[in-house]
Amino acid sequence: MENKSFKITPNQRLMGIVVIVVSLLLIPLIAMEFTEEVNWDSFDFIVAAVLLLGTGLVCELVLRTVRSTQNRILLCGIVLVILFLVWAELAVGIFGTPFAGS
């Protein structure tokens, strides 16, 4: 039997990043139709798209340039932690910076 391993190309990863970002942005868009608690305007969607797409592209850059698996995981983990901290600051102002409107 032949060993046919499935290999994802960098272009497929980029397309996956875009699909995931769009899918994540559909969640609040759909939620706004069913509840008053989710109230995003176009600026909120733009900021979320920039944050998510930027994070995905930085992780893609890390995957393309860093050879060590351990360093890839570490760097992508740091990028994700930064995303979560910025997202939390924009959402509820955990640090009290002017970005959160504090």
Coordinates of all heavy atoms in Angstrom, one line a residue:
M1 N 0.8 -1.2 0.0 CA 0.0 0.0 0.0 C 0.9 1.3 0.0 O 1.9 1.3 0.6 CB -0.9 0.1 1.2 CG -2.1 -0.8 1.2 SD -3.1 -0.4 2.6 CE -4.6 -0.1 1.8
E2 N 0.4 2.3 -0.7 CA 1.1 3.5 -0.7 C 0.8 4.3 0.6 O -0.3 4.3 1.1 CB 0.7 4.4 -1.9 CG 1.2 3.8 -3.2 CD 0.8 4.7 -4.4 OE1 0.7 5.9 -4.2 OE2 0.5 4.2 -5.4
N3 N 1.8 5.1 1.0 CA 1.6 5.9 2.2 C 1.3 7.3 1.6 O 2.2 8.1 1.3 CB 2.8 5.9 3.1 CG 2.6 6.8 4.3 OD1 1.5 7.2 4.6 ND2 3.6 7.0 5.1
K4 N 0.0 7.7 1.5 CA -0.3 9.0 1.0 C -0.6 9.9 2.2 O -1.7 9.8 2.8 CB -1.6 8.9 0.1 CG -1.3 8.2 -1.2 CD -2.6 8.2 -2.0 CE -2.3 7.5 -3.3 NZ -3.5 7.5 -4.1
S5 N 0.4 10.7 2.6 CA 0.1 11.6 3.7 C -0.5 12.9 3.2 O -0.1 13.4 2.1 CB 1.4 11.9 4.4 OG 2.3 12.6 3.6
F6 N -1.4 13.4 3.9 CA -2.1 14.6 3.5 C -1.3 15.8 4.0 O -1.0 16.0 5.2 CB -3.5 14.7 4.1 CG -4.3 15.9 3.8 CD1 -4.8 16.1 2.5 CD2 -4.5 16.9 4.7 CE1 -5.5 17.2 2.2 CE2 -5.2 18.0 4.4 CZ -5.7 18.2 3.1
K7 N -0.9 16.7 3.1 CA -0.1 17.9 3.5 C -0.8 19.1 3.1 O -1.3 19.3 2.0 CB 1.3 17.8 2.7 CG 2.2 19.0 3.1 CD 3.6 18.6 2.9 CE 4.4 19.9 3.1 NZ 5.2 19.8 4.3
I8 N -0.9 20.0 4.1 CA -1.6 21.3 3.8 C -0.6 22.3 3.3 O 0.4 22.5 3.9 CB -2.3 21.8 5.1 CG1 -3.3 20.8 5.6 CG2 -2.9 23.2 5.0 CD1 -3.9 21.2 6.9
T9 N -0.9 22.9 2.2 CA 0.0 23.9 1.7 C -0.2 25.2 2.4 O -1.3 25.5 3.0 CB -0.3 24.1 0.1 OG1 -1.6 24.6 0.0 CG2 -0.2 22.8 -0.6
P10 N 0.8 26.1 2.3 CA 0.6 27.5 2.9 C -0.6 28.2 2.4 O -1.2 28.9 3.1 CB 1.9 28.2 2.5 CG 2.9 27.1 2.4 CD 2.2 25.9 1.8
N11 N -0.9 28.1 1.1 CA -2.1 28.8 0.5 C -3.4 28.2 1.1 O -4.3 29.0 1.3 CB -2.1 28.7 -1.0 CG -1.0 29.5 -1.6 OD1 -0.5 30.5 -1.0 ND2 -0.6 29.2 -2.9
Q12 N -3.4 26.9 1.4 CA -4.6 26.3 2.0 C -4.7 26.8 3.4 O -5.8 27.1 3.9 CB -4.5 24.8 2.0 CG -4.7 24.2 0.6 CD -4.5 22.7 0.6 OE1 -3.6 22.2 1.3 NE2 -5.2 22.0 -0.2
R13 N -3.6 27.0 4.1 CA -3.6 27.6 5.5 C -4.1 29.0 5.5 O -5.0 29.4 6.3 CB -2.2 27.5 6.1 CG -2.0 26.3 6.9 CD -0.8 26.5 7.9 NE 0.3 27.2 7.4 CZ 1.5 26.6 7.1 NH1 1.7 25.3 7.3 NH2 2.5 27.3 6.7
L14 N -3.7 29.8 4.5 CA -4.2 31.2 4.4 C -5.7 31.2 4.2 O -6.4 32.0 4.8 CB -3.4 31.9 3.3 CG -2.0 32.4 3.6 CD1 -1.4 33.0 2.4 CD2 -2.0 33.4 4.8
M15 N -6.2 30.4 3.3 CA -7.6 30.3 3.0 C -8.3 29.9 4.3 O -9.4 30.4 4.6 CB -7.9 29.4 1.8 CG -9.3 29.4 1.4 SD -9.9 31.1 1.1 CE -9.8 31.1 -0.6
G16 N -7.8 28.9 5.0 CA -8.4 28.5 6.3 C -8.5 29.6 7.3 O -9.5 29.7 8.0
I17 N -7.4 30.4 7.4 CA -7.4 31.6 8.3 C -8.6 32.5 7.9 O -9.3 32.9 8.8 CB -6.1 32.3 8.2 CG1 -5.0 31.4 8.9 CG2 -6.2 33.6 9.0 CD1 -3.6 31.9 8.7
V18 N -8.7 32.8 6.7 CA -9.8 33.7 6.2 C -11.2 33.1 6.5 O -12.1 33.8 7.0 CB -9.7 34.1 4.7 CG1 -10.9 34.8 4.2 CG2 -8.4 34.9 4.5
V19 N -11.4 31.9 6.3 CA -12.6 31.2 6.5 C -13.0 31.2 8.0 O -14.1 31.4 8.4 CB -12.6 29.8 5.9 CG1 -13.8 28.9 6.4 CG2 -12.6 29.8 4.4
I20 N -12.0 30.9 8.8 CA -12.2 30.9 10.3 C -12.5 32.3 10.8 O -13.5 32.5 11.6 CB -11.0 30.4 11.0 CG1 -10.8 28.9 10.8 CG2 -11.0 30.7 12.5 CD1 -9.5 28.2 11.2
V21 N -11.9 33.4 10.3 CA -12.2 34.7 10.7 C -13.6 35.1 10.3 O -14.4 35.6 11.1 CB -11.1 35.7 10.1 CG1 -11.6 37.2 10.3 CG2 -9.8 35.5 10.7
V22 N -14.0 34.8 9.1 CA -15.3 35.1 8.6 C -16.4 34.3 9.5 O -17.4 34.9 9.9 CB -15.5 34.8 7.1 CG1 -17.0 34.9 6.7 CG2 -14.7 35.8 6.3
S23 N -16.1 33.1 9.8 CA -17.0 32.2 10.6 C -17.1 32.8 12.0 O -18.2 32.9 12.5 CB -16.5 30.8 10.7 OG -16.4 30.2 9.4
L24 N -16.0 33.3 12.6 CA -16.1 33.9 13.9 C -16.9 35.2 13.9 O -17.6 35.5 14.9 CB -14.7 34.1 14.5 CG -13.9 32.8 14.9 CD1 -12.5 33.2 15.3 CD2 -14.6 32.2 16.1
L25 N -16.7 35.9 12.8 CA -17.5 37.2 12.8 C -19.0 37.0 12.5 O -19.8 37.9 12.8 CB -16.9 38.1 11.7 CG -15.5 38.7 12.0 CD1 -14.9 39.4 10.9 CD2 -15.5 39.5 13.3
L26 N -19.3 35.9 12.0 CA -20.7 35.6 11.7 C -21.5 35.3 13.1 O -22.7 35.5 13.1 CB -20.9 34.3 10.8 CG -20.7 34.6 9.4 CD1 -20.7 33.3 8.6 CD2 -21.7 35.6 8.8
I27 N -20.8 34.9 14.1 CA -21.4 34.6 15.4 C -22.1 35.8 16.0 O -23.3 35.8 16.2 CB -20.4 34.0 16.4 CG1 -19.9 32.6 15.9 CG2 -21.0 33.9 17.8 CD1 -18.8 32.0 16.6
P28 N -21.4 37.0 16.1 CA -22.1 38.1 16.7 C -23.1 38.7 15.7 O -24.1 39.2 16.1 CB -21.0 39.2 16.9 CG -19.8 38.7 16.2 CD -19.9 37.2 16.0
L29 N -22.8 38.5 14.4 CA -23.8 39.0 13.4 C -25.1 38.3 13.5 O -26.2 38.9 13.5 CB -23.2 38.9 12.0 CG -24.1 39.4 10.8 CD1 -24.2 40.9 10.9 CD2 -23.5 39.0 9.5
I30 N -25.1 37.0 13.6 CA -26.3 36.2 13.8 C -26.9 36.4 15.2 O -28.1 36.6 15.3 CB -26.0 34.7 13.6 CG1 -25.6 34.5 12.1 CG2 -27.2 33.8 14.0 CD1 -25.0 33.1 11.8
A31 N -26.1 36.6 16.2 CA -26.6 36.8 17.5 C -27.4 38.1 17.6 O -28.3 38.2 18.4 CB -25.5 36.8 18.6
M32 N -27.0 39.1 16.8 CA -27.7 40.4 16.9 C -29.1 40.3 16.4 O -29.9 41.1 16.7 CB -26.9 41.4 16.0 CG -25.6 41.9 16.7 SD -24.6 43.0 15.8 CE -25.6 43.7 14.5
E33 N -29.4 39.3 15.6 CA -30.7 39.1 15.1 C -31.6 38.5 16.1 O -32.9 38.6 16.0 CB -30.7 38.1 13.8 CG -29.9 38.7 12.7 CD -30.5 40.0 12.1 OE1 -31.8 40.1 12.1 OE2 -29.7 40.9 11.8
F34 N -31.1 37.8 17.1 CA -31.9 37.1 18.1 C -31.9 37.8 19.5 O -32.7 37.4 20.3 CB -31.4 35.7 18.2 CG -31.6 34.9 17.0 CD1 -30.5 34.6 16.1 CD2 -32.8 34.5 16.6 CE1 -30.7 33.9 15.0 CE2 -33.0 33.8 15.4 CZ -31.9 33.5 14.6
T35 N -31.0 38.7 19.8 CA -30.9 39.2 21.1 C -30.5 40.7 21.1 O -29.8 41.1 20.2 CB -30.0 38.4 22.0 OG1 -30.0 39.0 23.3 CG2 -28.5 38.4 21.5
E36 N -30.9 41.4 22.1 CA -30.6 42.8 22.2 C -29.2 43.0 22.9 O -28.6 44.1 22.9 CB -31.6 43.6 22.9 CG -33.0 43.6 22.3 CD -33.0 44.6 21.1 OE1 -32.3 45.6 21.1 OE2 -33.6 44.2 20.1
E37 N -28.7 41.9 23.5 CA -27.5 42.0 24.3 C -26.2 42.1 23.4 O -25.2 42.5 23.9 CB -27.4 40.8 25.2 CG -28.5 40.8 26.3 CD -28.4 39.6 27.2 OE1 -27.3 38.9 27.2 OE2 -29.3 39.3 27.9
V38 N -26.3 41.7 22.2 CA -25.2 41.8 21.3 C -25.5 43.0 20.4 O -26.5 43.0 19.6 CB -25.0 40.5 20.4 CG1 -23.8 40.7 19.5 CG2 -24.8 39.3 21.3
N39 N -24.7 44.1 20.5 CA -25.0 45.3 19.7 C -23.7 45.8 19.1 O -23.1 46.7 19.6 CB -25.7 46.3 20.7 CG -26.1 47.5 19.9 OD1 -26.3 47.5 18.7 ND2 -26.3 48.6 20.6
W40 N -23.3 45.2 18.1 CA -22.1 45.6 17.4 C -22.4 46.5 16.2 O -23.4 46.4 15.6 CB -21.3 44.4 16.8 CG -20.6 43.6 17.8 CD1 -20.9 43.4 19.1 CD2 -19.5 42.7 17.6 NE1 -20.0 42.6 19.7 CE2 -19.1 42.1 18.8 CE3 -18.7 42.5 16.4 CZ2 -18.0 41.3 18.9 CZ3 -17.7 41.6 16.5 CH2 -17.3 41.0 17.8
D41 N -21.6 47.5 16.0 CA -21.7 48.4 14.8 C -20.6 48.0 13.9 O -19.8 47.1 14.1 CB -21.7 49.9 15.2 CG -20.5 50.3 15.9 OD1 -19.5 49.5 15.9 OD2 -20.4 51.5 16.3
S42 N -20.6 48.7 12.7 CA -19.6 48.3 11.7 C -18.1 48.5 12.2 O -17.2 47.7 11.9 CB -19.8 49.1 10.4 OG -19.7 50.5 10.7
F43 N -17.9 49.5 13.1 CA -16.5 49.6 13.6 C -16.1 48.4 14.4 O -14.9 48.0 14.4 CB -16.5 50.9 14.4 CG -15.1 51.2 15.0 CD1 -14.1 51.7 14.1 CD2 -14.8 51.1 16.3 CE1 -12.8 51.9 14.6 CE2 -13.6 51.3 16.8 CZ -12.6 51.8 16.0
D44 N -17.0 47.9 15.2 CA -16.7 46.7 16.0 C -16.3 45.5 15.1 O -15.4 44.8 15.5 CB -17.9 46.3 16.9 CG -18.2 47.4 18.0 OD1 -17.3 48.0 18.5 OD2 -19.4 47.6 18.2
F45 N -17.0 45.3 14.1 CA -16.7 44.3 13.1 C -15.4 44.5 12.5 O -14.6 43.5 12.3 CB -17.8 44.1 12.1 CG -19.0 43.4 12.6 CD1 -20.1 44.0 13.0 CD2 -19.0 42.0 12.7 CE1 -21.2 43.4 13.5 CE2 -20.1 41.3 13.2 CZ -21.2 42.0 13.6
I46 N -15.1 45.7 12.1 CA -13.8 46.0 11.5 C -12.6 45.8 12.5 O -11.6 45.1 12.1 CB -13.7 47.5 11.0 CG1 -14.7 47.6 9.8 CG2 -12.3 47.9 10.6 CD1 -15.0 49.1 9.4
V47 N -12.8 46.2 13.7 CA -11.7 46.0 14.7 C -11.5 44.5 15.0 O -10.4 44.0 15.0 CB -12.0 46.8 16.0 CG1 -11.1 46.3 17.1 CG2 -11.9 48.3 15.8
A48 N -12.6 43.8 15.1 CA -12.5 42.3 15.3 C -11.9 41.6 14.2 O -11.0 40.8 14.3 CB -13.9 41.8 15.6
A49 N -12.2 42.0 12.9 CA -11.6 41.4 11.8 C -10.1 41.7 11.7 O -9.3 40.8 11.4 CB -12.3 41.9 10.5
V50 N -9.7 42.9 12.0 CA -8.3 43.3 11.9 C -7.5 42.5 13.0 O -6.5 41.9 12.7 CB -8.1 44.8 12.1 CG1 -6.7 45.1 12.4 CG2 -8.6 45.5 10.9
L51 N -8.1 42.4 14.2 CA -7.4 41.7 15.3 C -7.3 40.2 14.9 O -6.2 39.6 15.1 CB -8.2 41.8 16.6 CG -8.0 43.1 17.3 CD1 -9.0 43.2 18.5 CD2 -6.6 43.3 17.8
L52 N -8.4 39.6 14.5 CA -8.4 38.1 14.2 C -7.5 37.8 13.0 O -6.7 36.9 13.0 CB -9.8 37.6 14.0 CG -10.7 37.6 15.2 CD1 -12.1 37.3 14.8 CD2 -10.2 36.7 16.3
L53 N -7.7 38.6 11.9 CA -6.9 38.3 10.7 C -5.4 38.6 10.9 O -4.6 37.9 10.5 CB -7.5 39.2 9.5 CG -6.9 38.8 8.2 CD1 -7.2 37.4 7.8 CD2 -7.5 39.8 7.1
G54 N -5.2 39.7 11.7 CA -3.8 40.0 12.0 C -3.1 38.9 12.8 O -2.0 38.5 12.5
T55 N -3.8 38.4 13.8 CA -3.3 37.3 14.6 C -3.1 36.0 13.7 O -2.0 35.4 13.8 CB -4.3 36.9 15.7 OG1 -4.4 38.1 16.5 CG2 -3.8 35.8 16.6
G56 N -4.0 35.7 12.9 CA -3.8 34.6 12.0 C -2.7 34.7 11.1 O -1.9 33.8 10.9
L57 N -2.5 35.9 10.5 CA -1.4 36.2 9.6 C 0.0 36.2 10.3 O 1.0 35.7 9.7 CB -1.6 37.5 8.8 CG -2.8 37.5 7.9 CD1 -2.9 38.8 7.2 CD2 -2.7 36.4 6.8
V58 N 0.0 36.7 11.5 CA 1.3 36.6 12.3 C 1.6 35.2 12.6 O 2.8 34.8 12.5 CB 1.2 37.5 13.6 CG1 2.4 37.2 14.5 CG2 1.1 39.0 13.2
C59 N 0.6 34.4 13.0 CA 0.9 32.9 13.3 C 1.3 32.2 12.0 O 2.2 31.4 12.0 CB -0.3 32.3 13.9 SG -0.6 32.7 15.6
E60 N 0.8 32.6 10.9 CA 1.2 32.0 9.6 C 2.6 32.4 9.3 O 3.4 31.6 8.8 CB 0.3 32.5 8.5 CG 0.7 32.0 7.1 CD 0.6 30.5 6.9 OE1 -0.1 29.8 7.6 OE2 1.3 30.0 6.0
L61 N 3.0 33.6 9.5 CA 4.4 34.1 9.3 C 5.3 33.3 10.2 O 6.4 32.9 9.8 CB 4.5 35.6 9.6 CG 5.9 36.2 9.5 CD1 6.3 36.2 8.1 CD2 5.9 37.6 10.1
V62 N 4.9 33.1 11.5 CA 5.8 32.3 12.4 C 5.9 30.8 11.8 O 7.0 30.3 11.8 CB 5.1 32.2 13.8 CG1 5.8 31.2 14.7 CG2 5.3 33.6 14.5
L63 N 4.8 30.2 11.4 CA 4.9 28.9 10.8 C 5.8 28.8 9.6 O 6.4 27.8 9.4 CB 3.5 28.4 10.5 CG 2.6 28.1 11.7 CD1 1.2 27.7 11.3 CD2 3.1 27.1 12.6
R64 N 5.8 29.8 8.8 CA 6.6 29.8 7.6 C 8.1 30.1 7.9 O 8.9 29.6 7.1 CB 6.1 30.9 6.6 CG 4.8 30.5 5.9 CD 4.4 31.4 4.9 NE 3.1 31.1 4.3 CZ 2.7 31.5 3.1 NH1 3.5 32.2 2.3 NH2 1.5 31.1 2.7
T65 N 8.4 30.8 8.9 CA 9.8 31.3 9.1 C 10.5 30.5 10.2 O 11.7 30.4 10.1 CB 9.9 32.8 9.4 OG1 9.1 33.1 10.5 CG2 9.4 33.6 8.2
V66 N 9.8 30.1 11.2 CA 10.5 29.5 12.4 C 10.5 28.0 12.1 O 9.5 27.4 11.8 CB 9.8 29.8 13.7 CG1 10.4 29.1 14.9 CG2 9.8 31.3 13.9
R67 N 11.7 27.4 12.3 CA 11.8 25.9 12.0 C 11.6 25.0 13.2 O 11.1 23.9 13.0 CB 13.3 25.7 11.5 CG 13.5 26.3 10.1 CD 12.7 25.6 9.0 NE 12.6 26.4 7.8 CZ 11.5 26.6 7.2 NH1 10.4 26.1 7.5 NH2 11.5 27.3 6.1
S68 N 11.9 25.5 14.4 CA 11.8 24.6 15.6 C 10.3 24.6 16.0 O 9.6 25.6 16.1 CB 12.6 25.2 16.7 OG 12.2 24.6 17.9
T69 N 9.8 23.4 16.2 CA 8.4 23.2 16.6 C 8.1 23.8 17.9 O 7.1 24.5 18.1 CB 8.0 21.7 16.6 OG1 8.3 21.1 15.3 CG2 6.6 21.5 17.0
Q70 N 9.1 23.7 18.8 CA 8.9 24.3 20.2 C 8.8 25.8 20.1 O 8.0 26.4 20.7 CB 10.1 23.8 21.0 CG 9.9 24.3 22.5 CD 11.0 23.7 23.4 OE1 12.0 23.2 22.8 NE2 10.9 23.9 24.7
N71 N 9.7 26.4 19.3 CA 9.6 27.9 19.1 C 8.4 28.3 18.4 O 7.8 29.4 18.7 CB 10.9 28.4 18.4 CG 12.1 28.3 19.2 OD1 12.0 28.1 20.4 ND2 13.3 28.3 18.6
R72 N 7.9 27.5 17.4 CA 6.6 27.9 16.8 C 5.5 27.9 17.8 O 4.7 28.9 17.8 CB 6.3 26.8 15.7 CG 7.1 26.9 14.5 CD 6.7 25.8 13.6 NE 7.3 25.9 12.2 CZ 7.0 25.1 11.2 NH1 6.1 24.1 11.4 NH2 7.5 25.3 10.0
I73 N 5.4 26.9 18.6 CA 4.3 26.8 19.6 C 4.4 28.0 20.6 O 3.4 28.6 20.9 CB 4.3 25.5 20.3 CG1 4.0 24.3 19.3 CG2 3.4 25.5 21.5 CD1 4.2 23.0 19.9
L74 N 5.6 28.3 21.0 CA 5.8 29.4 22.0 C 5.4 30.7 21.4 O 4.7 31.5 22.0 CB 7.3 29.4 22.4 CG 7.7 30.5 23.4 CD1 7.0 30.3 24.7 CD2 9.2 30.6 23.6
L75 N 5.9 31.0 20.2 CA 5.6 32.3 19.5 C 4.1 32.4 19.2 O 3.5 33.5 19.4 CB 6.5 32.5 18.3 CG 8.0 32.7 18.6 CD1 8.7 32.7 17.3 CD2 8.2 34.0 19.3
C76 N 3.5 31.4 18.7 CA 2.1 31.5 18.4 C 1.3 31.6 19.7 O 0.3 32.3 19.7 CB 1.6 30.2 17.6 SG 2.2 30.3 15.9
G77 N 1.7 30.9 20.8 CA 1.1 31.1 22.1 C 1.1 32.5 22.6 O 0.2 33.1 23.1
I78 N 2.3 33.1 22.4 CA 2.5 34.5 22.8 C 1.6 35.4 22.0 O 0.9 36.3 22.6 CB 4.0 35.0 22.7 CG1 4.8 34.3 23.8 CG2 4.1 36.5 22.8 CD1 6.3 34.4 23.6
V79 N 1.5 35.2 20.7 CA 0.6 36.0 19.9 C -0.8 35.9 20.3 O -1.6 36.8 20.4 CB 0.8 35.6 18.4 CG1 -0.3 36.3 17.5 CG2 2.2 36.0 17.9
L80 N -1.3 34.6 20.6 CA -2.6 34.4 21.1 C -2.9 35.1 22.4 O -4.0 35.6 22.6 CB -2.9 32.9 21.1 CG -3.0 32.2 19.8 CD1 -3.2 30.7 20.0 CD2 -4.2 32.8 19.0
V81 N -2.0 35.0 23.3 CA -2.1 35.7 24.6 C -2.3 37.2 24.4 O -3.2 37.8 25.0 CB -1.0 35.4 25.6 CG1 -1.0 36.3 26.8 CG2 -1.0 33.9 26.0
I82 N -1.5 37.8 23.5 CA -1.6 39.2 23.2 C -3.0 39.5 22.6 O -3.6 40.5 23.0 CB -0.5 39.7 22.3 CG1 0.8 39.6 23.0 CG2 -0.8 41.1 21.8 CD1 2.1 39.8 22.1
L83 N -3.5 38.7 21.7 CA -4.8 38.8 21.2 C -5.9 38.8 22.3 O -6.7 39.7 22.3 CB -5.1 37.7 20.1 CG -6.6 37.7 19.7 CD1 -7.0 38.8 18.9 CD2 -6.9 36.4 19.0
F84 N -5.8 37.9 23.2 CA -6.8 37.8 24.2 C -6.8 39.0 25.2 O -7.8 39.5 25.6 CB -6.6 36.5 25.0 CG -7.0 35.2 24.2 CD1 -6.2 34.1 24.3 CD2 -8.0 35.2 23.3 CE1 -6.5 32.9 23.6 CE2 -8.3 34.1 22.6 CZ -7.6 32.9 22.7
L85 N -5.5 39.4 25.5 CA -5.4 40.6 26.3 C -6.0 41.9 25.7 O -6.7 42.7 26.3 CB -4.0 40.8 26.8 CG -3.4 39.8 27.7 CD1 -1.9 40.0 27.9 CD2 -4.2 39.8 29.0
V86 N -5.7 42.1 24.4 CA -6.2 43.2 23.7 C -7.7 43.1 23.6 O -8.4 44.1 23.8 CB -5.5 43.4 22.3 CG1 -6.3 44.4 21.4 CG2 -4.1 43.7 22.4
W87 N -8.2 41.9 23.2 CA -9.7 41.7 23.1 C -10.4 42.0 24.5 O -11.4 42.7 24.5 CB -9.9 40.3 22.7 CG -11.3 40.1 22.2 CD1 -12.5 40.0 22.9 CD2 -11.8 40.0 20.8 NE1 -13.6 39.8 22.1 CE2 -13.1 39.8 20.8 CE3 -11.1 40.0 19.6 CZ2 -13.9 39.6 19.6 CZ3 -11.8 39.8 18.4 CH2 -13.2 39.7 18.4
A88 N -9.8 41.5 25.5 CA -10.4 41.8 26.9 C -10.4 43.2 27.2 O -11.3 43.8 27.8 CB -9.7 40.9 27.9
E89 N -9.3 43.9 26.9 CA -9.2 45.3 27.2 C -10.2 46.1 26.4 O -10.9 47.0 26.9 CB -7.8 45.9 26.8 CG -7.6 47.3 27.0 CD -7.8 47.8 28.4 OE1 -7.7 47.0 29.4 OE2 -8.1 49.0 28.6
L90 N -10.4 45.8 25.1 CA -11.4 46.5 24.3 C -12.8 46.1 24.8 O -13.7 47.0 24.7 CB -11.2 46.1 22.9 CG -10.0 46.7 22.2 CD1 -9.8 46.1 20.8 CD2 -9.9 48.2 22.2
A91 N -13.0 44.9 25.3 CA -14.4 44.5 25.7 C -14.8 45.1 27.0 O -15.9 45.6 27.2 CB -14.4 43.0 25.7
V92 N -13.9 45.0 28.0 CA -14.3 45.4 29.4 C -13.3 46.3 30.1 O -13.6 46.7 31.2 CB -14.5 44.1 30.3 CG1 -15.7 43.3 29.8 CG2 -13.3 43.3 30.4
G93 N -12.2 46.6 29.5 CA -11.2 47.5 30.1 C -10.5 47.0 31.3 O -10.5 47.7 32.3
I94 N -9.9 45.8 31.2 CA -9.3 45.2 32.4 C -8.1 46.0 32.9 O -7.7 45.9 34.0 CB -8.9 43.7 32.2 CG1 -8.0 43.6 31.0 CG2 -10.2 42.9 32.0 CD1 -7.5 42.1 30.8
F95 N -7.4 46.8 32.0 CA -6.2 47.5 32.3 C -6.6 49.0 32.5 O -5.7 49.8 33.0 CB -5.1 47.4 31.3 CG -4.7 45.9 31.1 CD1 -4.9 45.3 29.9 CD2 -4.1 45.2 32.1 CE1 -4.5 44.0 29.7 CE2 -3.7 43.9 32.0 CZ -3.9 43.3 30.8
G96 N -7.7 49.5 32.1 CA -8.1 50.9 32.2 C -7.4 51.8 31.3 O -7.2 53.0 31.6
T97 N -7.0 51.3 30.1 CA -6.4 52.2 29.1 C -7.4 53.0 28.4 O -8.6 52.7 28.4 CB -5.6 51.4 28.1 OG1 -6.4 50.6 27.4 CG2 -4.5 50.5 28.8
P98 N -7.0 54.1 27.7 CA -8.0 54.8 26.9 C -8.6 54.1 25.8 O -9.7 54.4 25.2 CB -7.1 56.0 26.3 CG -5.9 56.1 27.2 CD -5.7 54.7 27.7
F99 N -8.0 52.9 25.3 CA -8.6 52.1 24.3 C -9.9 51.6 24.6 O -10.8 51.4 23.8 CB -7.7 51.0 23.9 CG -6.4 51.4 23.3 CD1 -5.2 51.1 24.0 CD2 -6.3 52.0 22.1 CE1 -4.0 51.5 23.4 CE2 -5.1 52.4 21.5 CZ -4.0 52.2 22.2
A100 N -10.1 51.3 25.9 CA -11.4 50.8 26.4 C -12.4 51.8 26.7 O -13.5 51.5 27.1 CB -11.2 49.9 27.6
G101 N -12.1 53.1 26.5 CA -13.0 54.2 26.8 C -13.0 54.6 28.2 O -13.8 55.3 28.7
S102 N -12.0 54.1 29.0 CA -11.9 54.5 30.4 C -11.3 55.8 30.6 O -10.5 56.3 29.9 CB -10.9 53.5 31.1 OG -11.4 52.2 31.0

